[in-house]
């Protein structure tokens, strides 16, 4: 016996990826529904070798359904997730709406799988921010060994994190630069993204941080350990898919780079590719479509007492969003629902 699964936002980048990953990982599905807004109603989406017609999220009855994967943004989530939860369907939400709610677990299965057991307070589980998810996968096994005091992270985030319009903007801007008669004005981003980098993701806060930077700090504390100090600088780069991060970690105890490399090689969800030679590291273009979080450039930081530097790359539409949501569903199945 399998699960009755709903994917809300099935026509978006993340929703389509959720359907792909459910099929790829052979999630035990008895029945599946693809939901979308009225403007996308009837659009066909793929689920393995099947084609699904989208149904209307606004009128869908969640009664009798087991799990709903939401990829529709905070506005629609606020309206429809509580309805699904009240009908007995457990919601796994990809938006930021519930991440900071103390009654809603924020889960990365490689890091805090047991947190799913807290779902029952609201029948909702939150999926973290894409840049946080890949970072905590890398931090967790190192934290277990040497206890992390402080993390300094700079991100290099792909435009797909802003949605389809941002992908189109990078593509159209790039073409317009090579065509002098084509004048393409920035719409999604405040400055040109083609051949440029923008140190600005989400809105600015009074502190001077952007909300994306605040998310990384707050979510890391909730998922990993509230005592870990985190400071982040988040940058949008002209890459279609794949977030990269330069992470500097300061530990309470000494950790040798060779031991760190061995620990990461054995850790779930991680692939270490770290050769000190030309091309002996992973870049965003190579991680696209992969489930793993890739770690490269592991080395001692001699400027602090117990420091390690590393480079972390992951497909932001997968581990940063859709894959993590499906992994939460798998964990929920194993620990709570026990079907399939």
């Amino acid at each position: 016996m399998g699960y009755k699964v709903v994917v809300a936002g099935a026509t978006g980048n993340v929703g389509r990826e959720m359907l792909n990953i459910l099929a790829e990982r052979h999630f035990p599905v008895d029945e599946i529904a693809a939901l979308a807004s009225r403007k996308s109603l009837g659009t066909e989406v793929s689920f393995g070798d099947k084609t699904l017609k989208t149904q209307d999220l606004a009128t869908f009855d969640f009664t009798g359904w087991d799990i709903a994967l939401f990829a529709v943004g905070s506005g629609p989530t606020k309206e429809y997730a509580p309805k699904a939860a009240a009908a007995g369907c457990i919601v796994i939400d990809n938006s930021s709406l519930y991440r900071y709610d103390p009654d809603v677990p924020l889960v990365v299965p490689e890091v805090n799988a047991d947190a799913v057991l807290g779902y029952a307070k609201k029948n909702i589980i939150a999926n973290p921010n894409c840049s946080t998810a890949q970072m905590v996968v890398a931090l967790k096994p190192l934290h277990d060994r040497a206890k992390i005091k402080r993390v300094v992270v700079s991100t290099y985030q792909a435009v797909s994190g802003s949605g389809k319009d941002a992908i189109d903007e990078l593509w159209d801007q790039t073409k317009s630069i090579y065509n002098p008669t084509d004048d393409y004005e920035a719409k999604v981003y405040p400055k040109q993204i083609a051949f440029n980098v923008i140190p600005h993701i989400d809105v600015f806060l009074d502190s001077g941080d952007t909300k994306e930077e605040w998310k990384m700090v707050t979510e890391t504390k909730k998922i990993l350990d509230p005592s870990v100090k985190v400071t982040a600088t988040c940058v949008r780069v002209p890459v279609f898919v794949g977030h990269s991060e330069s992470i500097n970690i300061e530990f309470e105890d000494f950790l040798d780079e060779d031991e760190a490399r061995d620990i990461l090689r054995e850790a779930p969800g991680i692939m270490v590719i770290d050769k000190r030679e030309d091309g002996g590291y992973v870049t965003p273009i190579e991680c696209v479509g992969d489930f793993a979080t890739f770690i490269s450039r592991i080395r001692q930081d001699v400027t602090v007492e117990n420091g390690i530097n590393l480079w972390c790359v992951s497909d932001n539409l997968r581990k940063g969003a859709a894959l993590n949501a499906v992994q939460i569903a798998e964990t929920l199945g194993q620990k709570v629902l026990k079907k399939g």
Side-chain angles (χ1 to χ4, degrees):
M1 188 169 67
Y3 298 95
K4 293 180 70 176
V5 179
V6 175
V7 176
T11 59
N13 291 336
V14 174
R16 288 177 187 270
E17 204 64 28
M18 285 173 170
L19 288 165
N20 289 338
I21 293 169
L22 285 166
E24 284 175 30
R25 291 173 74 89
H26 304 290
F27 189 82
V29 172
D30 266 1
E31 191 175 345
I32 190 157
L35 309 186
S37 63
R38 284 194 178 134
K39 67 178 182 180
S40 301
L41 209 55
T43 302
E44 292 187 342
V45 292
S46 296
F47 173 64
D49 57 3
K50 298 178 183 175
T51 300
L52 308 175
K53 275 196 174 179
T54 55
Q55 302 176 55
D56 187 2
L57 172 59
T59 59
F60 188 79
D61 183 1
F62 288 91
T63 305
W65 293 81
D66 297 304
I67 298 170
L69 305 178
F70 267 63
V72 293
S74 294
T77 297
K78 188 174 183 179
E79 185 173 356
Y80 300 112
K83 292 179 181 178
C89 181
I90 301 172
V91 172
I92 299 170
D93 176 35
N94 196 61
S95 81
S96 62
L97 184 65
Y98 292 105
R99 290 176 189 160
Y100 317 107
D101 186 328
D103 291 334
V104 174
L106 181 65
V107 179
V108 175
E110 295 94 335
V111 179
N112 64 337
D114 285 345
V116 299
L117 300 174
Y119 80 95
K121 288 182 180 177
K122 289 193 173 178
N123 236 21
I124 297 171
I125 300 172
N127 208 23
N129 185 42
C130 48
S131 48
T132 305
Q134 69 186 73
M135 182 172 76
V136 295
V137 168
L139 295 182
K140 168 64 173 172
L142 301 177
H143 184 57
D144 287 347
R145 160 61 181 83
K147 193 164 175 58
I148 295 169
K149 286 169 59 178
R150 181 171 184 255
V151 176
V152 181
V153 57
S154 296
T155 71
Y156 308 78
Q157 293 180 225
V159 296
S160 52
S162 301
K164 183 181 181 301
D165 289 345
I167 295 173
D168 292 342
E169 179 150 304
L170 173 56
W171 176 250
D172 291 337
Q173 270 183 6
T174 303
K175 288 191 297 181
S176 73
I177 287 167
Y178 287 102
N179 183 358
T181 63
D182 194 0
D183 186 18
Y184 185 88
E185 186 179 337
K187 299 182 184 74
V188 176
Y189 297 118
K191 296 199 176 192
Q192 175 184 312
I193 185 61
F195 303 98
N196 199 16
V197 298
I198 303 172
H200 171 195
I201 300 178
D202 213 321
V203 297
F204 278 95
L205 307 176
D206 291 342
S207 64
D209 292 319
T210 63
K211 195 171 181 184
E212 184 82 357
E213 291 155 357
W214 174 84
K215 287 175 187 174
M216 291 196 75
V217 174
T218 306
E219 293 175 20
T220 300
K221 287 176 175 290
K222 185 172 179 179
I223 297 166
L224 184 66
D225 186 336
S227 70
V228 174
K229 295 178 180 178
V230 182
T231 182
T233 300
C234 294
V235 182
R236 191 70 70 188
V237 297
V239 169
F240 287 110
V241 178
H243 287 355
S244 306
E245 297 171 349
S246 171
I247 308 174
N248 174 262
I249 312 163
E250 188 177 352
F251 299 90
E252 288 190 3
D253 302 315
F254 178 75
L255 180 62
D256 176 79
E257 64 184 46
D258 292 327
E259 185 182 357
R261 195 175 289 107
D262 289 341
I263 288 168
L264 290 166
R265 280 200 176 108
E266 296 300 318
I270 290 175
M271 181 79 70
V272 174
I273 298 183
D274 187 22
K275 296 179 181 177
R276 293 177 177 177
E277 60 186 44
D278 291 354
Y281 42 81
V282 171
T283 59
I285 203 164
E286 295 152 321
C287 79
V288 175
D290 208 296
F291 290 141
T293 294
F294 291 90
I295 307 295
S296 307
R297 303 292 321 281
I298 303 163
R299 62 206 188 277
Q300 222 79 44
D301 174 10
V302 297
T303 67
V304 293
E305 192 173 351
N306 302 311
I308 291 281
N309 288 309
L310 55 85
W311 174 251
C312 175
V313 179
S314 189
D315 183 329
N316 57 294
L317 298 178
R318 291 205 151 208
K319 186 55 189 171
L323 171 61
N324 198 72
V326 173
Q327 287 177 305
I328 291 171
E330 292 170 345
T331 305
L332 190 65
Q334 292 157 9
K335 292 182 178 288
V336 180
L337 301 176
K338 298 183 179 176
K339 290 185 183 180

